Amino acid sequence: MQEVGCRTCRARVLVQKNSLPHTSVQWTTDAAVACETIALRVADGEYAARVTHCGALRASIQQAVREGIVRVPEND
């Protein structure tokens, strides 16, 4: 897994690409607190673990893939 920081809130998560469309993201407790999207939804009563994504983080991960920071394995 590669560490990726959100370019909006600076939350740092671990990311693994198994293919171009498949991304695994491991949130840390610190990242869940730093992410405004998650923090707002938790404040509204939702459990952080049930927040499936953050658009800003998704964009940051896509940029990390384009920059080669997060590698996508080649198909066999």
Side-chain angles (χ1 to χ4, degrees), residues 37-51:
T37 298
I38 290 181
L40 289 172
R41 290 176 69 176
V42 168
D44 285 340
E46 193 169 348
Y47 291 108
R50 295 189 187 252
V51 179

Side-chain angles (χ1 to χ4, degrees), residues 1 7 14 16 19 35-36 40-41 51 53-54 57 60 62 68 75:
M1 295 194 104
R7 294 167 189 249
L14 297 176
Q16 181 175 333
S19 66
C35 177
E36 184 177 318
L40 289 172
R41 290 176 69 176
V51 179
H53 72 282
C54 167
L57 178 62
S60 297
Q62 290 170 342
N75 293 333

Side-chain angles (χ1 to χ4, degrees), residues 4-69:
V4 174
C6 178
R7 294 167 189 249
T8 299
C9 71
R10 305 290 187 237
R12 301 199 66 77
V13 297
L14 297 176
V15 176
Q16 181 175 333
K17 294 291 284 181
N18 296 320
S19 66
L20 199 52
H22 182 262
T23 305
S24 295
V25 178
Q26 182 177 344
W27 286 84
T28 64
T29 303
D30 291 342
V33 172
C35 177
E36 184 177 318
T37 298
I38 290 181
L40 289 172
R41 290 176 69 176
V42 168
D44 285 340
E46 193 169 348
Y47 291 108
R50 295 189 187 252
V51 179
T52 57
H53 72 282
C54 167
L57 178 62
R58 181 176 289 176
S60 297
I61 292 169
Q62 290 170 342
Q63 184 63 34
V65 169
R66 286 190 292 274
E67 292 174 358
I69 295 167

